[in-house]
């Protein structure tokens, strides 16, 4: 027979700590130890084993349901079910704690799995809850996974304001940060086409244009330099991870295909008559990491291809593939007069040792500074002059 030892309880009774623990801390500790011992002995009896089996069956038959929402805020029709497994250590730990620690007592069950054996195993190893709906290939490349951010944003923008970017809902604001910056700005209509940076096949080709002449009596030719052409090509993988992505990505694909076509704008003649039949060339600004930052140019080709193994949406009105590839051919115009010592890449050039060297040191060696260095020196001179004037005013 399992009994309480009253002698130990009376011996440990004390007024010390009675303000928090009834009968004192020593009394509560002894009472808890005896309760754990009693319950442990009970579990080894036939009645205790039957109790464990009953609790395990009852908890497994009482699943916990939790409603989940998709990224658009809609409740999923089939709520996610999690299996409850009885935890035999919970009552033993609870009996060892005084009533002042009721809120700290563990639950009698563990919520694991999805009702199947595979789900229970996943729950035991720590993967009971499936990945969030937004944790997919597109979201994987998001550098702020701990925030509610979706890289698959809408087509949009504000004409004349390069700092307003669309988000998934279409609202304009701050840029949704990806690991690698990638966006196309339609300079004519003031809209952004932004895809998650699933890029491949990036090539940057610069070629000189020359004309050759042959003279009588000479075997070699004479070459006259005529100019140069720079083209950048790259490929973007477009993926629809869920049904709500389909209209978003195909809208952007639609307008990306239009970047090789003109936009007809209204013009005023000298007589004040409007003529809206004149085309405007499709100029764009390309941003690709820190190689090209709002680099002006135009697309000579935009090719879309669909892989043979791509799955399609079957709903009427949305029967399009979930996966496709866009291949771009971009002709680079640039922001400054092109020379041999020009800046051919944008933000990364600010880290070049030749660009960070003080201008005065180059002049002392008799070297001709680049246009970018002269602009930087002028900017620094203006800043230092303003600072000196501000200091004089404070004095």
């Amino acid at each position: 027979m399992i009994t309480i030892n009253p002698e130990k309880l009376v011996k440990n009774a004390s007024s010390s700590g009675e303000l928090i623990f009834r009968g004192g801390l020593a009394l509560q500790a002894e009472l808890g130890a005896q309760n754990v011992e009693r319950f442990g002995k009970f579990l080894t009896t036939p009645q205790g084993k039957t109790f464990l089996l009953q609790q395990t069956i009852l908890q497994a038959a009482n699943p916990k349901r939790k409603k989940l929402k998709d990224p658009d805020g809609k409740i999923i029709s089939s709520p996610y079910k999690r299996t409850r497994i009885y935890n035999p250590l919970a009552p033993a730990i609870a009996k060892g704690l005084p009533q002042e620690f009721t809120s700290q007592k563990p639950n009698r069950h563990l919520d694991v799995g999805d009702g199947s054996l595979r789900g229970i195993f996943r729950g035991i190893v720590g993967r009971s809850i499936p990945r969030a709906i937004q944790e997919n290939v597109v979201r994987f490349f998001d550098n702020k996974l701990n925030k509610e951010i979706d890289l698959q944003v809408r087509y949009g923008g504000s004409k004349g304001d390069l700092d307003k970017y669309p988000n998934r809902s279409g609202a304009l604001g701050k840029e949704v940060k990806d690991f690698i910056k990638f966006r196309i700005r339609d300079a004519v209509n003031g809209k952004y086409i932004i895809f998650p940076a699933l890029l491949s096949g990036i090539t940057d080709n610069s070629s000189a244009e020359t004309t050759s002449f042959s003279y009588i009596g000479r075997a070699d030719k004479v070459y006259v330099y005529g100019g140069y052409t720079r083209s950048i090509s790259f490929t973007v993988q477009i993926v629809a991870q869920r049904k709500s992505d389909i209209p978003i990505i195909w809208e952007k694909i639609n307008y990306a295909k239009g970047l090789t076509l003109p936009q007809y704008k209204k013009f005023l003649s000298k007589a004040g008559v409007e003529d809206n039949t004149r085309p405007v060339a499709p100029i764009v600004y390309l941003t690709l990491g820190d190689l090209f930052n709002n680099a002006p140019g135009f697309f000579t080709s935009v090719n879309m291809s669909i892989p043979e193994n791509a799955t399609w949406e079957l709903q009427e009105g949305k029967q399009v593939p979930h996966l496709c590839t866009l291949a771009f051919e971009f002709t680079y115009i640039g922001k400054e007069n092109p020379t041999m010592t020009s800046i051919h890449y944008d933000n990364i050039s600010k880290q070049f040792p030749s660009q960070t060297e003080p201008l005065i040191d180059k002049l002392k060696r008799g070297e001709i500074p680049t246009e970018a260095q002269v602009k930087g020196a002028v900017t620094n001179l203006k800043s230092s002059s303003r600072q000196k004037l501000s200091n004089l005013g404070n004095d």
Side-chain angles (χ1 to χ4, degrees):
M1 183 177 178
I2 303 171
T3 59
I4 296 177
N5 188 341
E7 294 182 3
K8 286 188 176 181
L9 296 181
V10 173
K11 187 183 297 182
N12 286 280
S14 171
S15 60
S16 176
E18 194 171 4
L19 180 63
I20 301 176
F21 302 100
R22 182 177 299 177
L25 180 59
L27 174 63
Q28 293 295 330
E30 178 60 31
L31 183 60
Q34 292 191 25
N35 287 337
V36 171
E37 183 181 1
R38 288 172 54 228
F39 187 73
K41 291 181 179 179
F42 168 72
L43 293 180
T44 59
T45 63
Q47 295 85 351
K49 295 176 181 178
T50 304
F51 172 78
L52 285 177
L53 180 61
Q54 290 176 343
Q55 291 298 316
T56 302
I57 295 174
L58 290 174
Q59 291 293 351
N62 182 29
K64 180 179 180 180
R65 292 179 178 269
K66 179 182 178 182
K67 292 184 178 180
L68 296 179
K69 295 183 179 180
D70 61 17
D72 298 325
K74 297 180 181 179
I75 297 176
I76 299 174
S77 57
S78 299
Y80 176 64
K81 185 173 73 173
R82 302 175 67 189
T83 304
R84 286 184 168 181
I85 296 179
Y86 178 67
N87 180 14
L89 295 178
I93 297 174
K95 290 183 180 298
L97 295 175
Q99 61 182 6
E100 287 81 6
F101 291 101
T102 302
S103 60
Q104 304 298 324
K105 294 181 180 181
N107 294 327
R108 292 186 303 168
H109 52 77
L110 303 175
D111 296 332
V112 297
D114 55 1
S116 63
L117 291 176
R118 177 175 177 270
I120 294 174
F121 174 75
R122 286 168 59 89
I124 293 174
V125 299
R127 201 69 175 94
S128 58
I129 302 176
R131 294 193 177 198
I133 296 175
Q134 289 187 346
E135 288 185 26
N136 46 42
V137 175
V138 173
R139 186 170 165 80
F140 177 77
F141 291 97
D142 180 3
N143 66 348
K144 295 186 181 295
L145 285 176
N146 59 333
K147 295 187 178 181
E148 293 299 324
I149 295 177
D150 198 311
L151 297 178
Q152 201 63 269
V153 300
R154 294 277 296 275
Y155 167 79
S158 178
K159 196 169 184 179
D161 194 344
L162 295 175
D163 296 328
K164 289 186 178 180
Y165 304 91
N167 58 18
R168 184 176 177 85
S169 64
L172 300 180
K174 294 182 179 180
E175 180 184 9
V176 177
K177 295 291 185 180
D178 199 349
F179 274 122
I180 303 297
K181 298 187 291 289
F182 172 66
R183 58 180 179 267
I184 300 169
R185 171 77 174 187
D186 179 359
V188 178
N189 299 295
K191 302 292 184 180
Y192 277 110
I193 299 175
I194 304 174
F195 290 106
L198 303 176
L199 301 167
S200 62
I202 302 173
T203 60
D204 182 5
N205 181 40
S206 298
S207 57
E209 299 174 0
T210 59
T211 304
S212 62
F213 295 93
S214 298
Y215 290 95
I216 298 175
R218 293 190 61 174
D220 59 330
K221 294 182 179 181
V222 176
Y223 296 92
V224 177
Y225 182 83
Y228 99 112
T229 302
R230 185 180 184 185
S231 61
I232 301 158
S233 60
F234 55 91
T235 300
V236 185
Q237 298 291 332
I238 313 297
V239 184
Q241 292 293 322
R242 47 188 177 272
K243 194 172 183 179
S244 58
D245 286 349
I246 292 176
I248 295 176
I249 66 172
W250 280 96
E251 180 185 25
K252 293 187 288 188
I253 293 172
N254 175 79
Y255 290 114
K257 291 290 292 182
L259 293 178
T260 58
L261 303 173
Q263 180 71 26
Y264 291 89
K265 296 287 186 177
K266 291 183 178 181
F267 285 84
L268 295 175
S269 64
K270 292 182 179 180
V273 179
E274 290 187 358
D275 179 10
N276 57 355
T277 61
R278 298 186 182 182
V280 177
I283 301 297
V284 301
Y285 295 112
L286 174 65
T287 297
L288 204 164
D290 283 322
L291 294 174
F292 308 101
N293 299 88
N294 291 323
F298 58 92
F299 288 110
T300 55
S301 67
V302 179
N303 300 319
M304 190 269 289
S305 60
I306 301 172
E308 293 183 0
N309 60 346
T311 57
W312 286 59
E313 183 63 35
L314 302 180
Q315 181 180 342
E316 187 67 30
K318 294 184 178 180
Q319 293 184 2
V320 293
H322 298 150
L323 175 66
C324 70
T325 301
L326 283 180
F328 294 90
E329 188 76 26
F330 178 76
T331 297
Y332 181 84
I333 295 177
K335 303 175 184 178
E336 61 181 48
N337 184 32
T339 65
M340 295 177 67
T341 56
S342 297
I343 298 302
H344 302 294
Y345 297 99
D346 293 330
N347 284 359
I348 187 60
S349 64
K350 297 176 182 178
Q351 308 299 324
F352 293 169
S354 60
Q355 300 300 316
T356 57
E357 184 182 12
L359 181 60
I360 188 64
D361 294 341
K362 278 183 160 287
L363 294 175
K364 288 179 179 179
R365 293 199 304 269
E367 296 182 10
I368 300 176
T370 64
E371 182 180 351
Q373 286 178 318
V374 174
K375 289 181 179 179
V378 172
T379 302
N380 293 336
L381 182 61
K382 289 181 179 178
S383 299
S384 61
S385 299
R386 292 195 193 97
Q387 185 65 36
K388 289 178 180 179
L389 290 174
S390 176
N391 293 337
L392 288 174
N394 293 334
D395 294 341

